[in-house]
C-alpha cells in the first residue's frame, strides 16, 4: 500500500509554515490550521505521531527544530510515510552540507521545492537517492558555515544512472587494486536456566560488504544455506555434497540483489554499490552453536553472607579465542564487601550497577574459567522479601566463528574487462542479549 500523500508541510516550533506542497486536491489549504489547533496547541505532539482529524490523517515527525507533517485522506502505509520522511531529510542534508533546521530551509526554499517535485509524484514517493538526484539537480544548496563536508561533484552520464537498473552505482569507477571485503557479523540472543538448559535462543546476522571494484562488476555469493544447496543440486543434476547446511529465516536483501534470480536459482547475485553497504540480514532459530556455557551457583549463608561461584566454559574450537569477555553477576543492593578469586582475568565490585564485573581480555577455546566470591551484606531489620533475581549478563566477541554455522562457499566476481580481484572474508560473533538465570 503506497503513501498517496495529499500534502506535506514543514513547520517551525511555533506552528508557522515554512514550506508546503499540495499534491492532490482532496484536502483544503487550511489543513495546517487543524494540525495547529488539535495537536500543537493541545500539547499532544509527543503522544502519538499519527492523528486523525475529520476525514484526514496527519503523520508528523520532529527533526531538529522543524516539524514535517504529511496529510493523507485515504488509508495509507504509515511506515512507508515515515521512511519517506527519513530519506527526504537525509537527501536535504546532503545538499545543505549536513544541516537540516529552520535556517537551512529558509535559505534553500527554492531548491527544496524543486526536490519535492522530484521525490514525490501525485503523492507517491519516487527515487530519493542523493547520488542519483545530484546527477540532474546540480544546484548547490546554501551550506551551513559550521559544515566541513565537501560538496559532492556531479557525475557525467546521468541518463543511464537515472533510468537504468543500476541506479545505486555510477559508471567509470577505476581502482588500481580491485578488492572485496565481506564480513558476516552475528549476535547471539540467549536465555539459559541456572542448570544450563536453553530456554530461548536465536541468532541475528548481517552480511556487510565493502567493494572497491572497477567498472560494473557482477558478483555471485554462495552460502551453505539448505535451500540454496538443494536448488544448486537440482540444476546440476547431482546430489548435494555432505556438510552442514542451515536454514535462514526472515531474510532481507539490499536493493542491488537480483530477486528474480534468487527466487529461481536461490543464488545471491548483484551489482554492488561502491564502498560499504549491508548486503543482507537474516535470523536463525534452529541449530545454534553457543560459544559459551555458564554455570552459576549462588548460596545465601544467613542474612549477611553470600557465596558466588560462576564457571564459564568456551565451546568453540581450541584454535579460536574470544576477546573482551565481560561477565556481570548481580548482587544485592546492600552489599558491603567482596572478596574474589578468579582463575583468569580480573574482577571487581561495581556499586553503581550492583554487579560483580569479571573481565577476561582473551578467552581461548575449549577452556574454562571460574570465579569464586564471598559477599558480605549490610544487616537490615526489615524482613527479607522474596524477589526475582536479575540474570547474569555476558559480553564477548569471537572472531572467525559463527553461532549459526553460516559459511561462504564462494564469492565470484565477473567483469567484462576480466581483471583479477582479491576477496577477504571475515566472521564475527558477539553477544546480543546473552543472559543466564541465577
Amino acid at each position: 500500500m503506497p503513501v498517496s500523500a495529499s500534502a506535506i508541510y514543514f513547520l517551525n516550533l511555533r506552528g508557522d509554515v515554512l514550506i508546503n506542497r499540495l499534491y492532490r486536491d482532496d484536502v483544503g489549504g487550511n489543513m495546517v490550521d487543524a494540525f495547529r489547533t488539535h495537536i500543537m496547541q493541545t500539547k499532544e505532539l509527543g503522544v502519538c505521531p499519527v492523528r486523525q482529524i475529520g476525514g484526514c490523517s496527519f503523520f508528523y515527525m520532529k527533526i531538529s527544530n522543524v516539524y514535517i507533517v504529511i496529510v493523507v485522506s485515504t488509508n495509507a502505509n504509515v511506515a512507508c510515510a515515515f521512511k519517506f520522511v527519513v530519506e527526504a531529510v537525509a537527501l536535504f542534508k546532503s545538499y545543505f552540507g549536513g544541516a537540516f533546521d529552520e535556517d537551512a530551509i529558509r535559505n534553500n526554499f527554492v531548491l527544496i521545492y524543486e526536490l519535492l517535485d522530484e521525490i514525490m509524484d501525485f503523492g507517491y514517493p519516487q527515487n530519493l537517492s542523493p547520488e542519483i538526484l545530484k546527477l540532474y539537480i546540480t544546484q548547490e544548496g546554501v551550506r551551513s558555515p559550521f559544515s566541513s563536508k565537501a560538496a559532492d561533484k556531479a557525475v557525467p552520464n546521468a541518463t543511464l544512472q537515472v533510468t537504468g537498473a543500476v541506479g545505486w552505482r555510477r559508471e567509470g569507477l577505476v581502482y588500481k587494486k580491485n578488492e572485496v571485503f565481506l564480513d558476516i557479523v552475528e549476535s547471539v540472543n540467549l536465555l539459559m536456566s541456572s542448570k544450563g538448559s536453553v530456554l530461548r535462543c536465536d541468532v541475528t546476522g548481517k552480511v556487510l560488504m565493502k567493494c572497491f571494484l572497477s567498472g560494473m562488476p557482477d558478483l555471485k555469493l554462495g552460502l551453505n544455506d539448505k535451500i540454496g544447496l538443494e536448488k544448486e543440486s537440482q540444476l546440476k543434476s547431482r546430489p548435494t555434497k555432505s556438510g552442514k547446511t542451515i536454514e535462514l529465516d526472515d531474510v532481507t536483501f539490499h536493493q542491488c540483489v537480483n530477486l528474480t534470480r534468487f527466487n529461481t536459482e536461490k543464488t545471491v547475485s548483484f551489482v554492488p554499490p561502491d564502498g560499504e553497504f549491508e548486503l543482507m540480514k537474516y535470523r536463525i532459530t534452529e541449530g545454534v552453536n553457543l560459544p559459551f556455557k555458564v554455570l552459576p551457583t549462588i548460596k545465601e549463608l544467613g542474612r549477611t553472607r553470600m557465596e558466588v561461584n560462576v564457571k564459564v566454559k568456551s565451546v568453540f574450537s581450541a584454535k579460536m579465542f574470544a576477546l573482551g569477555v565481560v561477565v556481570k553477576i548481580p548482587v544485592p543492593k546492600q552489599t558491603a564487601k567482596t572478596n574474589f578469586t578468579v582463575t583468569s582475568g580480573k574482577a571487581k565490585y561495581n556499586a553503581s550497577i550492583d554487579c560483580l564485573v569479571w573481565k577476561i581480555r582473551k578467552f581461548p577455546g575449549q577452556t574454562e574459567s571460574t570465579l569464586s566470591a564471598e559477599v558480605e551484606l549490610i544487616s537490615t531489620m526489615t524482613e527479607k522479601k522474596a524477589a526475582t533475581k536479575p540474570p547474569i549478563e555476558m559480553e564477548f566477541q569471537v572472531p572467525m566463528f559463527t553461532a549459526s554455522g553460516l559459511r561462504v562457499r564462494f564469492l565470484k566476481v565477473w567483469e567484462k574487462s576480466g581483471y583479477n580481484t582479491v576477496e577477504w572474508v571475515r566472521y564475527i560473533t558477539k553477544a546480543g542479549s546473552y543472559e543466564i538465570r541465577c
Side-chain angles (χ1 to χ4, degrees):
M1 184 187 300
V3 174
S4 62
S6 298
I8 183 170
Y9 292 91
F10 293 76
L11 310 177
N12 61 16
L13 298 181
R14 298 186 302 272
D16 301 330
V17 179
L18 303 175
I19 282 182
N20 71 297
R21 181 71 171 85
L22 299 177
Y23 293 102
R24 296 165 178 259
D25 56 2
D26 53 355
V27 297
N30 60 347
M31 283 293 101
V32 67
D33 297 329
F35 179 80
R36 278 196 297 258
T37 303
H38 295 277
I39 299 179
M40 295 193 74
Q41 295 180 3
T42 57
K43 297 183 179 180
E44 295 185 2
L45 282 171
V47 178
C48 179
V50 179
R51 287 291 302 276
Q52 285 188 322
I53 303 174
C56 296
S57 298
F58 293 80
F59 309 147
Y60 56 92
M61 181 181 294
K62 181 183 177 183
I63 308 293
S64 185
N65 57 354
V66 177
Y67 285 103
I68 302 178
V69 184
I70 294 180
V71 184
V72 299
S73 61
T74 59
N75 189 15
N77 190 325
V78 179
C80 183
F82 287 124
K83 179 67 174 177
F84 170 81
V85 172
V86 172
E87 295 292 337
V89 171
L91 173 65
F92 296 147
K93 286 183 177 180
S94 68
Y95 271 94
F96 306 157
F100 181 81
D101 50 23
E102 182 176 352
D103 292 335
I105 292 176
R106 292 185 184 278
N107 294 333
N108 296 277
F109 69 92
V110 175
L111 176 59
I112 293 177
Y113 274 120
E114 186 175 358
L115 290 172
L116 289 176
D117 289 336
E118 293 293 338
I119 63 179
M120 186 168 277
D121 184 16
F122 196 59
Y124 295 102
Q126 305 298 311
N127 195 340
L128 288 98
S129 173
E131 293 79 7
I132 303 305
L133 290 169
K134 287 183 179 180
L135 296 177
Y136 57 97
I137 300 181
T138 58
Q139 177 183 347
E140 293 187 6
V142 177
R143 309 174 70 83
S144 170
F146 303 102
S147 174
S148 59
K149 182 179 177 182
D152 298 329
K153 294 182 179 180
V155 182
N157 199 4
T159 304
L160 177 63
Q161 298 300 312
V162 176
T163 61
V166 193
W168 52 87
R169 184 182 181 90
R170 62 183 177 88
E171 283 194 333
L173 293 173
V174 178
Y175 290 98
K176 292 182 179 180
K177 186 177 182 180
N178 294 283
E179 295 178 298
V180 179
F181 299 87
L182 188 146
D183 289 343
I184 294 181
V185 182
E186 294 187 343
S187 297
V188 185
N189 303 304
L190 170 73
L191 180 60
M192 182 181 290
S193 69
S194 58
K195 297 182 180 179
S197 59
V198 177
L199 304 177
R200 173 179 53 83
C201 184
D202 68 87
V203 175
T204 56
K206 51 188 177 182
V207 179
L208 304 176
M209 296 197 71
K210 188 181 293 184
C211 295
F212 303 106
L213 301 173
S214 305
M216 298 291 286
D218 188 2
L219 274 65
K220 188 175 181 182
L221 175 65
L223 304 171
N224 63 331
D225 62 297
K226 183 178 180 180
I227 299 178
L229 288 174
E230 290 178 351
K231 190 67 179 180
E232 181 179 326
S233 64
Q234 294 175 3
L235 294 174
K236 295 183 178 180
S237 301
R238 62 188 183 189
T240 306
K241 294 182 180 180
S242 60
K244 181 179 179 180
T245 59
I246 62 174
E247 295 188 18
L248 300 177
D249 302 325
D250 304 331
V251 182
T252 57
F253 292 107
H254 188 273
Q255 63 173 340
C256 67
V257 176
N258 189 330
L259 295 180
T260 303
R261 193 169 181 180
F262 178 78
N263 291 330
T264 56
E265 303 178 13
K266 298 302 177 184
T267 300
V268 183
S269 59
F270 55 98
V271 177
D274 185 44
E276 188 174 355
F277 67 100
E278 183 180 281
L279 178 64
M280 60 180 286
K281 293 189 294 187
Y282 60 90
R283 191 167 66 93
I284 300 290
T285 55
E286 301 291 338
V288 177
N289 301 318
L290 296 177
F292 288 98
K293 287 187 177 180
V294 182
L295 299 175
T297 304
I298 299 177
K299 296 181 181 179
E300 296 184 3
L301 306 176
R303 298 173 63 90
T304 60
R305 288 184 60 220
M306 287 177 59
E307 281 188 0
V308 178
N309 293 282
V310 178
K311 180 186 292 184
V312 180
K313 183 177 181 180
S314 56
V315 188
F316 47 87
S317 171
K319 298 180 181 180
M320 302 178 184
F321 54 87
L323 298 174
V325 178
V326 179
V327 183
K328 297 179 181 179
I329 307 160
V331 292
K333 290 182 178 294
Q334 62 270 27
T335 298
K337 186 179 179 182
T338 57
N339 294 316
F340 298 99
T341 301
V342 294
T343 57
S344 62
K346 296 180 180 180
K348 68 176 182 179
Y349 168 58
N350 190 331
S352 62
I353 58 175
D354 297 316
C355 284
L356 307 180
V357 181
W358 180 19
K359 295 183 179 181
I360 305 175
R361 186 177 61 86
K362 190 174 181 179
F363 202 125
Q366 297 298 316
T367 60
E368 65 180 34
S369 296
T370 57
L371 174 145
S372 300
E374 293 183 0
V375 181
E376 296 183 12
L377 308 176
I378 299 174
S379 179
T380 58
M381 299 300 294
T382 58
E383 184 179 352
K384 187 177 180 181
K385 297 181 181 180
T388 57
K389 297 179 180 179
I392 296 175
E393 298 181 359
M394 194 170 181
E395 302 173 5
F396 55 82
Q397 183 169 304
V398 187
M400 303 311 295
F401 172 81
T402 55
S404 66
L406 185 68
R407 285 290 182 269
V408 176
R409 295 189 296 118
F410 60 83
L411 178 60
K412 299 178 180 179
V413 180
W414 180 87
E415 215 275 335
K416 58 184 180 181
S417 61
Y419 55 72
N420 295 323
T421 59
V422 180
E423 297 89 12
W424 304 88
V425 180
R426 181 174 60 173
Y427 305 92
I428 300 174
T429 294
K430 55 186 179 181
S433 175
Y434 210 88
E435 300 179 344
I436 300 90
R437 289 182 176 175
C438 300

